[in-house]
Amino acid sequence: MRSIDAIEGGLQPARVPQLSVLASDVYRPDQWRDFFMTVGGGAAALTGLVFVAMSLNLEVITRDATHRYRAIGTLAGFAAVFVTCALVTMGGQDHVAVGIEWAVVAGFGTVFYVAGYVRAVRMGGSALWLRRYRLIGGTALYLTEVLGAAVLTVGRVEGLYAAAVAMVALVAFLISGAWLLIVGASGPRVDVAEGRGSDQAPDR
């Protein structure tokens, strides 16, 4: 009886550490550090370039609601990516902390993005540079980050990969938005209320 108890008692401690190791392996900082450093550094550099481009067309951007809120949304998006990458690379965090931080920051980015589009429409911004497919696409990427981060908090590594892919896609999306901002600031203006432009049709 003692030998059986000893065997059973010896097996139990060996299983508990194994389960804890599996739980901690959901987010491995050493494997993801390079990814977050690359994406976060790129977002910071692109933020500086957008500031420079805005300064060259500051008067036009501030006068038009579409350009103004696109500038705010683009800068907020790049800032959200940078802040996320900075937070998740801090030491001593598990997958729960990383998921919560990621979801909160991406949630704020979603609010800035959607609110900017709505305000641009209400204030009569240039409809030529407002497209609903961009609103849908950008919102979908932000929400994918939020949902992926939420899935990560419950210990599913699939959520980490989904949020990471959405973040990279969002950076590319924001780059295209920055390009539209620069081009739009020097292009024709179309009023949302009238829906008329000098050479193109308004948003469909």
Side-chain angles (χ1 to χ4, degrees), residues 126-139:
S126 298
L128 179 61
W129 305 104
L130 284 175
R131 291 293 183 266
R132 291 189 184 92
Y133 70 84
R134 288 194 60 84
L135 173 65
I136 296 172
T139 304

Side-chain angles (χ1 to χ4, degrees), residues 114-165:
V114 176
Y117 184 95
V118 173
R119 289 178 181 176
V121 173
R122 289 180 177 178
M123 296 178 66
S126 298
L128 179 61
W129 305 104
L130 284 175
R131 291 293 183 266
R132 291 189 184 92
Y133 70 84
R134 288 194 60 84
L135 173 65
I136 296 172
T139 304
L141 291 175
Y142 275 115
L143 292 179
T144 301
E145 282 194 68
V146 174
L147 293 176
V151 173
L152 174 61
T153 60
V154 299
R156 302 289 297 182
V157 71
E158 295 88 349
L160 177 59
Y161 282 97
V165 171

Side-chain angles (χ1 to χ4, degrees), residues 61-172:
I61 291 174
T62 54
R63 281 191 290 114
D64 188 277
T66 296
H67 302 325
R68 184 165 65 252
Y69 285 108
R70 172 162 285 159
I72 294 173
T74 301
L75 292 175
F78 282 133
V81 173
F82 173 76
V83 170
T84 299
C85 293
L87 290 176
V88 301
T89 52
M90 294 191 301
Q93 299 186 103
D94 59 3
H95 62 279
V96 177
V98 170
I100 293 174
E101 293 167 354
W102 202 333
V104 170
V105 177
F108 276 109
T110 307
V111 172
F112 272 99
Y113 184 76
V114 176
Y117 184 95
V118 173
R119 289 178 181 176
V121 173
R122 289 180 177 178
M123 296 178 66
S126 298
L128 179 61
W129 305 104
L130 284 175
R131 291 293 183 266
R132 291 189 184 92
Y133 70 84
R134 288 194 60 84
L135 173 65
I136 296 172
T139 304
L141 291 175
Y142 275 115
L143 292 179
T144 301
E145 282 194 68
V146 174
L147 293 176
V151 173
L152 174 61
T153 60
V154 299
R156 302 289 297 182
V157 71
E158 295 88 349
L160 177 59
Y161 282 97
V165 171
M167 176 183 284
V168 174
L170 180 63
V171 170

